[in-house]
Amino acid sequence: MVEVERVRYSDTLEREKIRAMIKARKEKQKEQNFENEKAVCPECGSRNLVHDYERAELVCGDCGLVVDADFVDEGPEWRAFDHDQRMKRSRVGAPMTYTIHDKGLSTMIDWRNRDSYGKSISSKNRAQLYRLRKWQRRIRVSNATERNLAFALSELDRMASALGLPRTVRETAAVVYRKAVDKNLIRGRSIEGVAAAALYAACRQCSVPRTLDEIEEVSRVSRKEIGRTYRFISRELALKLMPTSPIDYVPRFCSGLNLKGEVQSKSVEILRQASEKELTSGRGPTGVAAAAIYIASILCGERRTQREVADVAGVTEVTIRNRYKELAEELDIEIIL
């Protein structure tokens, strides 16, 4: 008898769960339908709807009909006119980031011995705060995977800072490394090697290319190992990366040589003509970019020597000579030396 009652009770619970799920799904569907209806003007069928935040109204931009009124403004109630003011008035933490092993979602106890009001902590409570801070650091990195991520991501950040790479590249590199960890591709390879390969892949994905030699300079592994690890993770993670274009190197090289925008535009134009005639395929992109910049600098009257261009581009003077002769001959460019 007791068993029968238990079965009935469990069946009732299951039915209630199913009913609650169906009800929630219907409410969600209703909300979606309502949002879709609001996105179209019922009078003229236009989708050109304008939010009037002063009157809290949704107005059709074509016929002027007020589609919705008294809607809630989900933005902050304060105004800020610069970054410092915004940071002071904001009541939320930093956004989630993949460049920290816990994605920046854990708590940090500040090293300054001050409370939330900015007052100094009494000497009686400082020992307790020191212990809390120590245990908080230990708890943040709890297992081997997190220790691996913490070390690798700090290494990634160090290399990216040394190369002066933007935030997007760092985030992309961190995502690539995390995928490699999830697929257990780190086993049998050095953390530094995989981190350097992930950074190289991220540079290519974000069209901010860096050569293997540049990555080698800031990493603690050889060029050969970075290249080998990069090929392995790109194959295993199915990273579809196109060959690097010489045009991507032009802005950085021109900036290093202190050349004007006119020279940069001329270099890009030369490289586009060269790619149309398939002169860039099968050749190193840095060498071709350097040769195009050398030609453009002469044509625009801002001459730079082959030695200067070679130093910035990281190639030899012989490479620049060979490439610029090919480009000048095939594109019919007259260069007066």
Side-chain angles (χ1 to χ4, degrees):
M1 188 70 180
V2 175
E3 288 295 326
V4 171
E5 283 179 1
R6 279 181 186 166
V7 170
R8 282 178 184 167
Y9 180 66
S10 64
D11 286 347
T12 309
L13 279 174
E14 286 294 324
R15 285 198 200 101
E16 283 178 1
K17 279 182 184 176
I18 291 166
R19 279 180 196 146
M21 284 170 65
I22 292 167
K23 190 178 178 183
R25 200 176 293 161
K26 282 181 179 176
E27 284 177 1
K28 193 176 179 182
Q29 191 67 39
K30 277 182 186 175
E31 285 176 7
Q32 284 178 352
N33 292 339
F34 182 65
E35 287 296 325
N36 291 335
E37 284 171 12
K38 280 204 300 184
V40 180
C41 175
E43 188 70 28
C44 64
S46 171
R47 290 186 177 273
N48 181 22
L49 303 181
V50 181
H51 285 88
D52 187 346
Y53 290 103
E54 287 184 7
R55 295 186 177 83
E57 292 175 348
L58 185 66
V59 184
C60 176
D62 292 343
C63 67
L65 180 77
V66 178
V67 179
D68 189 20
D70 299 328
F71 60 80
V72 178
D73 184 6
E74 295 176 356
E77 81 284 1
W78 43 262
R79 291 190 301 167
F81 300 99
D82 59 13
H83 178 70
D84 292 337
Q85 209 174 51
R86 192 177 297 111
M87 292 305 291
K88 281 178 186 174
R89 293 182 180 180
S90 178
R91 294 186 292 275
V92 295
M96 192 186 81
T97 174
Y98 287 102
T99 56
I100 304 173
H101 72 279
D102 54 12
K103 298 182 184 176
L105 300 176
S106 67
T107 308
M108 281 285 291
I109 300 175
D110 196 16
W111 58 271
R112 290 184 289 262
N113 291 317
R114 295 186 178 278
D115 62 12
S116 57
Y117 296 105
K119 294 176 183 175
S120 181
I121 301 286
S122 64
S123 55
K124 189 171 67 176
N125 295 328
R126 279 187 187 181
Q128 185 186 4
L129 189 64
Y130 172 77
R131 286 195 299 274
L132 280 171
R133 199 181 285 125
K134 181 174 71 176
W135 280 105
Q136 178 64 16
R137 271 201 311 271
R138 290 177 181 176
I139 288 164
R140 279 187 77 195
V141 183
S142 55
N143 55 31
T145 307
E146 284 195 1
R147 274 196 300 275
N148 180 321
L149 272 176
F151 176 72
L153 295 175
S154 64
E155 187 70 10
L156 267 176
D157 199 52
R158 182 190 66 77
M159 290 190 289
S161 297
L163 290 168
L165 295 171
R167 189 83 196 160
T168 49
V169 177
R170 299 179 193 207
E171 292 283 346
T172 308
V175 170
V176 171
Y177 188 86
R178 283 172 184 274
K179 284 180 181 176
V181 170
D182 291 340
K183 285 206 167 188
N184 202 22
L185 305 180
I186 314 296
R187 190 179 292 277
R189 288 170 182 82
S190 68
I191 295 172
E192 293 95 335
V194 180
L199 187 64
Y200 178 68
C203 288
R204 290 187 62 173
Q205 274 187 339
C206 298
S207 298
V208 187
R210 294 290 184 272
T211 60
L212 283 171
D213 294 319
E214 287 175 297
I215 302 285
E216 184 194 16
E217 281 176 18
V218 297
S219 69
R220 298 190 179 102
V221 288
S222 66
R223 184 183 190 278
K224 188 178 179 181
E225 189 181 343
I226 296 168
R228 187 170 60 237
T229 311
Y230 163 71
R231 286 191 293 274
F232 173 71
I233 64 169
S234 63
R235 186 176 66 248
E236 292 296 320
L237 299 177
L239 300 175
K240 293 180 173 62
L241 299 170
M242 296 296 290
T244 309
S245 170
I247 295 171
D248 294 333
Y249 290 98
V250 169
R252 186 157 60 94
F253 292 169
C254 284
S255 177
L257 290 163
N258 294 320
L259 293 168
K260 291 180 182 174
E262 184 189 351
V263 179
Q264 186 174 320
S265 303
K266 188 67 180 173
S267 306
V268 171
E269 185 188 329
I270 290 166
L271 287 170
R272 284 195 178 129
Q273 290 174 5
S275 67
E276 283 172 12
K277 294 196 174 185
E278 297 182 357
L279 300 175
T280 57
S281 57
R283 291 165 180 82
T286 49
V288 178
I293 290 167
Y294 176 67
I295 294 168
S297 70
I298 294 169
L299 294 177
C300 296
E302 287 193 46
R303 186 188 293 271
R304 294 290 185 274
T305 63
Q306 290 179 6
R307 179 74 265 163
E308 288 174 323
V309 179
D311 287 340
V312 169
V315 293
T316 62
E317 293 175 61
V318 178
T319 304
I320 292 176
R321 262 197 300 279
N322 292 338
R323 296 293 164 265
Y324 107 77
K325 282 175 184 175
E326 286 174 10
L327 292 174
E329 189 180 332
E330 294 292 332
L331 301 176
D332 295 327
I333 299 170
E334 288 185 15
I335 301 170
I336 300 166
L337 296 172

